[in-house]
Amino acid sequence: MPVSPARAVAFDILQEIERRQSFAVDLLHSDLTAFLPEKDRSLCMQLVMGVLRWQSSVDAEINRATQNKKLDIEVRLALRLAIFQVRHLDRIPARAAVNESVELVKRARKRSAVPFVNAVLRNLADPLPGESLQLHERFAHPAWMVERWIAQFGLEQAEFICAFDQQVPHTSLRLRQTDHAQLADELESAGLKLAPGRIMTTARIVLSGDVTATAAFRQGHVAIQDEGSQLVAALVGTGKRILDCCAAPGGKTSAVADRNPSARILGVELHEHRLRLMRKMVKAPNVEFLHADITSLPSKDSFDRILADVPCSGTGTIARNPEIKWRLTPKDLADLQKRQISILKSAMGRLENGGRLVYSTCSLEMEENQEVVENSLQKGFRLLDCREALAVLKTNGELAWPDPESLCQGPYLRTIPGVHPCDGFFAAIFQRD
């Protein structure tokens, strides 16, 4: 029996992720899936992201069924795919999921393991009742990660975060044209069903339809961007000379450029391949691109607005990037913090008197957020309360969220997945006096 194209590609992508530490989002939008019909592409994405989201709970079942036997990666991936489908996809018959995973083992030239895989899958025990499992087990997260969130946010909000991470996130759009209503009407005429943004008035939520198939998207009138990311970009405000320190992939750069059409904007990116992608994405004529390390820029220019959206763990984006759960370690946070402090201090050195700098991450971890700010604050700089910037956005009609206070933690912006309808972002605003 041939393996369905969607499962075959999903299996290949999961192998790439496992063997080469690749990212699912990149592979799912690569040549690997380009030949698949839309229905198969959708199933492939569902399988890959689902296996990654539920990996620890699926592996726990595999380990119980095999008495913790060491398995070849091809065998483990075939078992993961089958168990995920049986446990989490109602529309796929268990028999089909089992049969196709057996065929995947044959396709991977592991025929000697076929009877073993067949036996494991046909004798799956009932799963443990959810009430008897701890939070990290119920929602398939590393225990160390969830324990940190409970300590920082409390049990209730930690559960909101974990539950949010296990759901397929909605697609948020940023409308780039001035007439948002007209552009939204154009998108709906093209077959999309939209809802208003819940945080930003410039945003729309896609309820159904493929925005990438529309003329508005191809012409660059609309961008796919999480509402939390849109909010961070809005905090940068308006300036004449703007620096984006770690600019790729360019979503925030583009949003800042749209708000500042007459400003000179410099987008700096350390990694050349990411810079190439950003050049394709950001078409604003007032953005210059520079392949450089922000900690050693070749020029001595200063700027009145700076965005330091630094490389981070990404724990606020696990719903979109579930592989983060299985790659990140506590030690990584200390290593990231050193780099983040270096970037922030370098950026502060480029800020002119009276200028403002936004430091941001898509992380939930204090080491990358409050601790970086506290370790970098120096004489001549002060922290501004993000509530003031949010109040301006509210007055200007840009902020849709009814309770700006709830978007803040102390002087910082702090969006929490599951509490707020977006990814988890942190931001602090510095001013140089």
Side-chain angles (χ1 to χ4, degrees):
M1 183 180 90
V3 180
S4 69
R7 288 179 179 84
V9 174
F11 183 76
D12 292 343
I13 287 175
L14 288 168
Q15 284 195 78
E16 284 288 311
I17 292 169
E18 194 76 25
R19 296 184 189 282
R20 296 181 174 82
Q21 298 289 287
S22 304
F23 286 94
V25 170
D26 295 337
L27 295 174
L28 286 166
H29 294 89
S30 72
D31 292 342
L32 289 172
T33 61
F35 73 95
L36 292 174
E38 184 178 345
K39 186 176 180 181
D40 283 345
R41 233 183 359 256
S42 176
L43 176 58
C44 178
M45 180 175 291
Q46 189 176 29
L47 293 173
V48 170
M49 300 302 275
V51 166
L52 291 171
R53 285 192 181 102
W54 293 100
Q55 183 171 304
S56 65
S57 65
V58 167
D59 276 356
E61 282 209 57
I62 293 172
N63 293 340
R64 284 195 297 271
T66 64
Q67 287 78 52
N68 295 306
K69 183 177 180 179
K70 186 175 180 179
L71 305 174
D72 290 341
I73 187 56
E74 298 90 344
V75 174
R76 184 170 287 274
L77 288 176
L79 290 170
R80 283 177 181 170
L81 276 164
I83 294 173
F84 165 70
Q85 292 172 81
V86 170
R87 298 302 187 211
H88 298 284
L89 298 184
D90 296 335
R91 295 184 180 180
I92 294 179
R95 183 178 176 182
V98 169
N99 288 341
E100 294 229 6
S101 278
V102 169
E103 294 300 320
L104 283 171
V105 175
K106 295 178 185 176
R107 177 176 175 269
R109 299 181 180 178
K110 298 289 180 180
R111 284 184 172 272
S112 62
V114 166
F116 170 78
V117 169
N118 205 3
V120 169
L121 293 178
R122 294 188 187 282
N123 291 283
L124 287 177
D126 292 332
L128 294 174
E131 296 76 13
S132 69
L133 300 177
Q134 295 185 51
L135 184 60
H136 72 276
E137 294 173 311
R138 274 197 288 137
F139 291 105
H141 280 63
W144 70 267
M145 193 177 285
V146 176
E147 287 165 4
R148 293 167 59 87
W149 295 343
I150 292 172
Q152 182 180 177
F153 301 111
L155 179 61
E156 182 181 36
Q157 290 195 358
E159 184 165 351
F160 289 155
I161 295 168
C162 291
F164 185 91
D165 287 349
Q166 298 306 91
Q167 299 168 17
V168 178
H170 62 249
T171 298
S172 298
L173 307 179
R174 180 172 61 83
L175 307 185
R176 299 187 61 200
Q177 286 184 183
T178 304
D179 192 338
H180 298 144
Q182 180 181 353
L183 180 53
D185 287 345
E186 179 185 337
L187 290 168
E188 292 193 327
S189 296
L192 269 67
K193 186 176 181 181
L194 303 174
R198 296 183 60 190
I199 294 178
M200 304 296 292
T201 58
T202 54
R204 293 295 184 275
I205 297 167
V206 179
L207 301 178
S208 63
D210 180 6
V211 67
T212 64
T214 65
F217 181 83
R218 291 192 298 271
Q219 294 163 3
H221 297 156
V222 60
I224 298 173
Q225 187 176 16
D226 180 80
E227 287 193 72
S229 176
Q230 295 182 43
L231 178 56
V232 169
L235 292 181
V236 175
T238 57
K240 296 179 180 179
R241 295 175 307 283
I242 302 174
L243 172 64
D244 189 347
C245 297
C246 310
K252 296 184 185 69
T253 314
S254 179
V256 170
D258 287 348
R259 292 174 62 87
N260 293 272
S262 60
R264 175 202 162 203
I265 300 173
L266 179 62
V268 177
E269 175 53 43
L270 175 61
H271 302 288
E272 193 169 2
H273 69 283
R274 286 170 60 83
L275 183 65
R276 287 196 298 269
L277 292 174
M278 188 172 73
R279 287 181 187 274
K280 294 178 181 179
M281 176 178 174
V282 181
K283 299 298 185 182
N286 59 328
V287 176
E288 302 170 37
F289 304 95
L290 180 63
H291 176 217
D293 188 332
I294 188 62
T295 63
S296 56
L297 286 183
S299 74
K300 299 296 182 183
D301 292 350
S302 61
F303 302 84
D304 59 349
R305 292 290 184 274
I306 296 178
L307 173 61
D309 183 48
V310 299
C312 69
S313 65
T315 54
T317 68
I318 286 176
R320 301 181 194 280
N321 305 288
E323 59 268 46
I324 288 171
K325 292 188 290 188
W326 317 122
R327 294 181 184 172
L328 190 69
T329 69
K331 181 183 179 298
D332 294 332
L333 299 176
D335 295 338
L336 284 163
Q337 187 188 78
K338 291 176 185 177
R339 176 67 175 158
Q340 291 155 351
I341 291 173
S342 177
I343 292 171
L344 177 53
K345 286 185 174 180
S346 296
M348 292 168 75
R350 298 288 177 162
L351 190 64
E352 66 182 34
N353 290 340
R356 294 187 179 185
L357 181 156
V358 173
Y359 171 81
S360 66
T361 76
C362 54
S363 167
L364 301 177
E365 316 313 315
M366 292 186 69
E367 290 93 333
E368 301 180 271
N369 298 329
Q370 293 95 318
E371 290 184 17
V372 170
V373 171
E374 292 164 3
N375 285 319
S376 303
L377 194 59
Q378 55 195 266
K379 186 177 180 181
F381 292 84
R382 61 189 173 95
L383 273 180
L384 301 182
D385 195 323
C386 283
R387 291 173 180 80
E388 297 174 9
L390 293 177
V392 172
L393 294 175
K394 191 74 173 174
T395 300
N396 292 345
E398 296 177 74
L399 186 67
W401 190 252
D403 181 16
E405 181 80 21
S406 72
L407 296 170
C408 296
Q409 186 179 63
Y412 308 118
L413 176 76
R414 169 77 285 171
T415 62
I416 301 172
V419 176
H420 305 111
C422 62
D423 291 343
F425 280 91
F426 171 91
I429 305 176
F430 294 78
Q431 179 164 308
R432 187 166 198 165
D433 294 326

